[in-house]
Amino acid sequence: MEPKAKVKRIFKPKQSKVEDGCLRVGVFSKGFHPMNGSRLPLVRAITEDDEHGCRKVKDASFEQEILLTPSNNSAPCASQLMRSLTVEEYAEAFKSFLEHSTEHQCMEQFNKEDLPSIVDSLGNGKSTINILGVGSGTGEQDLKMIRIIRAKHPGALIKNEIIEPNPQHILAYKDAVRNSDLKNVSFTWHQLTSMEYEKQVKEQSLKRKYDFIHLIQMLYRVEDIASTIKFFHSCLNSYAKLLIIILSGNSGWATMWKKYRHCLPSTDSGHYITADDVKVILEGMGLKYQIYEFPSDWDITECFTDGDTIGGHTLDFLTGTKDFMNTAPQGLKQSLRQALGQPECSSKKNGRIIFRNDLSMIVVNS
């Protein structure tokens, strides 16, 4: 695939509205995964007026019991059987997503075509290059980027720090390091969320500076997106870069979140944010940045077939809901499928339904 031309777009997210009788409710999860596998606590503001409806939310280790009564007697947008995914369930749904999408191939293309020139000036000739990965999961993408930085700076010592709260992911990351052939690279893991790390640095007045910081598919699950970006940008050295990888404003996800949000269940927790929102934040901070847009596809054909295992994983990942296919009210499931089939979200190729999973790689200068 050839990357799309770099474009500059500004999108101001609108407040979600009550549509089709559905009252939206924010679910406060204790550790639902973002796309790269990191566990980050989250808060999403509830802006809808719910005085005409009733709701009941019970949060206990991902277990949500949700009862919504629409004001117009239409079908509810969640049932008592619906709940958010656990860590293990998310991992299974995410594995299926990767197997049927080109997300990793998209990142590989970015690594090959653009990342080498981006990291070429890191450190401005220093003998040590400091890297920080935020929400790095099992480290697959981290190690690939480190190899590219090593090739560009063969004589430098690389100190790589990782913020990752999931202990299983840290163990897997360490195993990957032991099995790698990397030399002159040190690794330090912090079993913390990004917010815990920020709090620790500020409370202890630590001076943490890095030459390269990356936030890969993790901003959906932080409490204050602007504050998070501002903090990590403040941790950059001179001649340093901050890399943010996030869903494109042209993706099918963006259309779902802006136009068909009422079709998503209340168990779908987290921020609905794309590169367009990040650009607004960066411009408000007066920061210079470059954007690399890459098309990415996700085959969602099976999600339109009841009882299909792959289709079940697809809907679970799309909605953040356990067994959405069998627990969602029929009206909600039908509305979601109709939205997914719209040309703004997906296209048909060789009889398959392909969802637009386009990514934006945003590089912010220090």
Side-chain angles (χ1 to χ4, degrees):
M1 296 181 293
E2 291 296 325
K4 299 178 182 177
K6 299 173 192 175
V7 294
K8 184 176 182 179
R9 301 183 308 275
I10 299 177
F11 164 71
K12 294 183 178 180
K14 299 178 180 179
Q15 295 288 346
S16 57
K17 298 178 180 179
V18 177
E19 301 183 54
D20 293 356
C22 285
L23 299 175
R24 295 286 297 159
V25 54
V27 179
F28 297 81
S29 173
K30 294 183 180 178
F32 184 82
H33 281 216
M35 294 178 68
N36 74 327
S38 303
R39 291 181 60 195
L40 296 173
L42 60 101
V43 174
R44 184 175 69 219
I46 302 173
T47 58
E48 293 81 18
D49 183 357
D50 62 349
E51 65 177 322
H52 297 295
C54 68
R55 65 185 178 181
K56 178 182 180 182
V57 180
K58 179 181 179 182
D59 186 349
S61 299
F62 299 101
E63 297 285 342
Q64 276 82 30
E65 180 184 358
I66 300 170
L67 178 61
L68 298 181
T69 305
S71 57
N72 61 356
N73 295 321
S74 61
C77 38
S79 72
Q80 287 179 288
L81 297 176
M82 295 175 70
R83 63 169 175 82
S84 298
L85 297 170
T86 64
V87 172
E88 293 76 16
E89 290 162 353
Y90 174 85
E92 185 177 12
F94 182 58
K95 181 176 181 291
S96 179
F97 162 76
L98 291 179
E99 290 173 349
H100 296 89
S101 75
T102 62
E103 172 142 325
H104 275 187
Q105 293 91 319
C106 176
M107 291 188 182
E108 285 291 334
Q109 184 184 358
F110 170 72
N111 288 344
K112 179 180 178 181
E113 298 179 3
D114 297 293
L115 190 59
S117 61
I118 291 169
V119 302
D120 189 47
S121 62
L122 295 183
N124 193 32
K126 292 194 310 181
S127 59
T128 300
I129 294 177
N130 295 284
I131 302 173
L132 178 65
V134 185
S136 292
T138 57
E140 180 180 352
Q141 177 67 4
D142 287 30
L143 297 182
K144 291 177 181 178
M145 292 190 294
I146 289 172
R147 286 189 173 89
I148 293 171
I149 295 172
R150 158 64 57 225
K152 281 292 181 178
H153 305 271
L157 169 65
I158 296 176
K159 293 184 177 181
N160 185 51
E161 293 189 43
I162 303 100
I163 300 171
E164 173 53 55
N166 190 315
Q168 287 75 32
H169 289 160
I170 291 176
L171 288 174
Y173 196 141
K174 290 180 177 180
D175 285 340
V177 170
R178 280 191 288 268
N179 294 325
S180 73
D181 57 355
L182 289 169
K183 299 183 184 303
N184 292 327
V185 182
S186 67
F187 293 84
T188 303
W189 286 266
H190 305 278
Q191 190 178 324
L192 300 168
T193 67
S194 64
M195 288 170 286
E196 290 168 345
Y197 178 82
E198 179 179 350
K199 182 180 179 182
Q200 181 184 89
V201 168
K202 291 179 177 179
E203 287 183 347
Q204 299 179 18
S205 299
L206 302 175
K207 293 183 179 180
R208 297 290 175 84
K209 291 292 182 179
Y210 302 91
D211 302 296
F212 185 58
I213 300 176
H214 52 85
L215 315 176
I216 301 177
Q217 295 282 39
M218 54 77 66
L219 287 176
Y220 316 103
R221 305 291 163 181
V222 299
E223 291 185 4
D224 190 329
I225 297 165
S227 176
T228 297
I229 293 174
K230 182 178 180 181
F231 168 73
F232 285 110
H233 185 267
S234 74
C235 294
L236 292 176
N237 273 319
S238 300
Y239 303 98
K241 306 285 186 182
L242 170 65
L243 171 64
I244 299 171
I245 297 182
I246 196 165
L247 287 165
S248 168
N250 290 328
S251 66
W253 296 94
T255 301
M256 286 295 300
W257 295 340
K258 289 186 287 185
K259 190 172 181 180
Y260 301 108
R261 185 176 296 194
H262 59 286
C263 297
L264 294 170
S266 50
T267 40
D268 181 31
S269 54
H271 292 292
Y272 296 150
I273 179 175
T274 70
D276 288 343
D277 305 291
V278 173
K279 286 187 293 183
V280 171
I281 293 171
L282 295 175
E283 289 169 4
M285 295 169 61
L287 298 177
K288 296 180 180 180
Y289 62 89
Q290 292 175 301
I291 295 187
Y292 303 81
E293 300 277 5
F294 286 85
S296 176
D297 295 335
W298 180 19
D299 189 336
I300 62 169
T301 306
E302 280 73 22
C303 83
F304 295 89
T305 302
D306 283 336
D308 189 275
T309 301
I310 295 174
H313 290 325
T314 299
L315 289 175
D316 288 359
F317 189 73
L318 271 163
T319 64
T321 303
K322 172 60 178 174
D323 199 17
F324 178 89
M325 185 178 285
N326 295 316
T327 62
Q330 186 62 32
L332 177 62
K333 184 167 62 175
Q334 182 178 355
S335 296
L336 178 61
R337 283 172 166 169
Q338 288 176 347
L340 290 172
Q342 296 303 309
E344 310 102 299
C345 296
S346 59
S347 60
K348 291 186 178 180
K349 298 179 182 178
N350 300 321
R352 309 293 293 178
I353 300 174
I354 308 300
F355 188 76
R356 292 169 58 189
N357 187 59
D358 300 355
L359 297 181
S360 294
M361 285 62 166
I362 305 175
V363 179
V364 188
N365 299 323
S366 57

